[in-house]
């Protein structure tokens, strides 16, 4: 698996498997399959309620802990809980996490970020991430952060390539990790004629062309799947490259179209969404 170098020189795999909306048993099996197929990045979150299952999948794989890059996210209700990071580590069954995000720009996110910075200095966290930040909260975070984030996880795909955000992040060396990398599975996006044409040209699938586009845009990409064939196929994108002309043609389908519309009111509701993370199966 190829890697990107983050702004603190930590190496992160270019592709991983996401476990959003996976029930624990499905997440455990998906992690085992992905690691068998050469994935080395696994993404989860407190709020996915499958961290324990992800940890079991990692152990079951038989692959050394230090060879796997694990990312998770703190939920807003635990930003002020001084045990939140240790609890996350315990659920995953590990003693450090490679990348830890603030999941939402909600609640006392300033306190949450300081918690992660403290854990980073203590060696419990190897890289710091933020997820879904935008507008004034995004600018404020970069102003107050002692350690600028290494990764920002956001919705990104060819219909919404996050061009403005990329320009904002460039001076800090913060890299995008794309969720909804396939446009929430939108058939209109996946079946755009440019992808069908390039799939024939490179003897790949439309999905593989889109995932390759992400890699060449500089994105870390985390498609989620519980289907073993899809998990294997998604990772088969490192034996070809799209040309500059191909990338230019793909850029023309940008529709500035999101599938998730962020708002302050929605985000603040997450700060009151209590979940018992330690009850995970």
């Amino acid at each position: 698996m190829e890697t990107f170098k983050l702004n603190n020189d930590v190496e992160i795999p270019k592709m991983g498997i996401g476990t959003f909306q996976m029930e624990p048993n499905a997440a455990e099996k998906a992690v085992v399959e992905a690691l068998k197929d050469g994935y080395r990045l696994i993404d989860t979150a407190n709020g996915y309620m499958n961290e324990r299952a992800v940890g079991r999948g990692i152990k079951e794989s038989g692959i050394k802990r230090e060879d796997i890059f694990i990312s998770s996210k703190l939920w807003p209700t635990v930003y002020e809980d001084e045990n939140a990071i240790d609890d996350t580590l315990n659920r995953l069954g590990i003693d450090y996490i490679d990348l830890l995000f603030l999941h939402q720009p909600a609640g006392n996110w300033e306190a949450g970020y300081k918690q992660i910075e403290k854990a980073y200095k203590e060696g419990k966290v190897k890289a710091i991430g933020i997820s879904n930040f935008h507008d004034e909260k995004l600018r404020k975070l970069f102003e107050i952060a002692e350690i600028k984030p290494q990764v920002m996880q956001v919705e990104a795909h060819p219909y919404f390539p996050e061009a403005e955000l990329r320009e904002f992040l460039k001076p800090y060396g913060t890299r995008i990790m794309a969720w909804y990398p396939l446009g929430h599975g939108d058939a209109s996006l996946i079946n755009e004629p440019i992808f069908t044409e390039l799939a024939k040209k490179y003897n790949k699938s439309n999905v593989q062309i889109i995932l390759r586009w992400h890699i060449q845009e500089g994105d870390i990409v985390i498609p989620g799947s519980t289907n073993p064939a899809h998990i294997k196929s998604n990772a088969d994108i490192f034996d070809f490259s799209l040309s500059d002309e191909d990338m230019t043609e793909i850029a023309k389908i940008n529709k500035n179209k999101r599938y998730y519309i962020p708002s302050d009111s929605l985000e603040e509701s997450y700060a009151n969404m209590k979940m018992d993370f330690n009850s995970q199966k």
Side-chain angles (χ1 to χ4, degrees):
M1 179 60 66
E2 296 178 5
T3 62
F4 289 121
K5 185 173 283 191
L6 300 177
N7 66 15
N8 62 350
D9 291 335
V10 165
E11 300 273 347
I12 184 170
K14 293 181 178 180
M15 168 175 274
I17 188 165
T19 61
F20 177 53
Q21 294 183 324
M22 287 188 193
E23 293 293 326
N25 285 345
E28 182 176 345
K29 290 175 183 175
V31 166
V32 172
E33 284 291 332
L35 291 171
K36 182 183 74 175
D37 290 334
Y39 289 72
R40 290 299 179 265
L41 164 61
I42 311 295
D43 181 69
T44 181
N46 297 168
Y48 299 173
M49 298 297 283
N50 60 23
E51 288 170 311
R52 290 193 193 281
V54 166
R56 288 195 299 271
I58 288 166
K59 283 195 177 72
E60 189 180 333
S61 75
I63 294 168
K64 292 179 182 177
R65 161 67 188 97
E66 58 268 29
D67 293 335
I68 302 173
F69 194 104
I70 304 169
S71 67
S72 193
K73 309 171 194 73
L74 295 186
W75 189 247
T77 55
V78 299
Y79 286 169
E80 297 177 70
D81 180 352
E82 63 183 19
N83 296 315
I85 294 174
D86 284 342
D87 287 345
T88 298
L89 294 173
N90 288 337
R91 286 190 295 271
L92 286 163
I94 56 180
D95 57 9
Y96 71 92
I97 192 160
D98 298 278
L99 173 59
L100 187 60
F101 292 90
L102 290 186
H103 201 155
Q104 296 287 350
N108 191 353
W109 58 263
E110 295 96 332
Y113 198 83
K114 286 185 171 62
Q115 263 218 86
I116 298 179
E117 286 182 323
K118 180 174 181 287
Y120 180 92
K121 293 173 183 176
E122 293 170 346
K124 293 179 182 179
V125 171
K126 302 301 182 184
I128 300 176
I130 57 174
S131 181
N132 302 312
F133 275 70
H134 56 92
D135 301 318
E136 186 55 38
K137 288 178 180 177
L138 175 63
R139 289 187 287 273
K140 184 177 179 184
L141 184 139
F142 274 86
E143 287 172 7
I144 69 170
E146 179 186 348
I147 302 163
K148 306 306 180 190
Q150 279 74 49
V151 179
M152 181 164 181
Q153 193 178 102
V154 289
E155 177 180 351
H157 43 74
Y159 277 175
F160 192 73
E162 290 281 16
E164 289 183 19
L165 179 62
R166 291 177 198 280
E167 287 303 309
F168 175 83
L169 297 176
K170 193 179 291 183
Y172 305 102
T174 302
R175 193 171 287 277
I176 285 176
M177 181 183 283
W179 58 259
Y180 282 175
L182 302 172
H184 201 27
D186 182 355
S188 298
L189 169 59
I190 293 170
N191 294 316
E192 279 281 351
I194 182 60
F195 299 131
T196 301
E197 177 187 326
L198 293 174
K200 290 176 183 173
K201 176 181 175 182
Y202 292 105
N203 195 28
K204 293 291 180 178
S205 70
N206 290 37
V207 165
Q208 289 168 329
I209 296 296
I210 296 170
L211 294 175
R212 182 67 206 182
W213 170 85
H214 276 286
I215 298 297
Q216 291 185 216
E217 280 286 283
D219 296 345
I220 305 151
V221 66
I222 49 167
S225 179
T226 58
N227 181 315
H230 291 169
I231 292 170
K232 187 177 182 65
S233 174
N234 286 346
D236 186 20
I237 61 170
F238 295 99
D239 59 351
F240 77 107
S241 294
L242 299 169
S243 70
D244 291 344
E245 292 79 9
D246 297 335
M247 297 293 284
T248 299
E249 288 302 309
I250 293 171
K252 293 177 182 177
I253 69 166
N254 175 11
K255 296 181 184 295
N256 200 33
K257 178 181 179 179
R258 293 178 184 266
Y259 296 88
Y260 169 83
I261 309 298
S263 71
D264 289 338
S265 59
L266 176 60
E267 288 157 359
E268 287 306 327
S269 74
Y270 298 142
N272 299 308
M273 192 182 291
K274 301 286 186 184
M275 290 181 272
D276 183 3
F277 303 121
N278 290 322
S279 69
Q280 294 179 29
K281 294 180 180 178

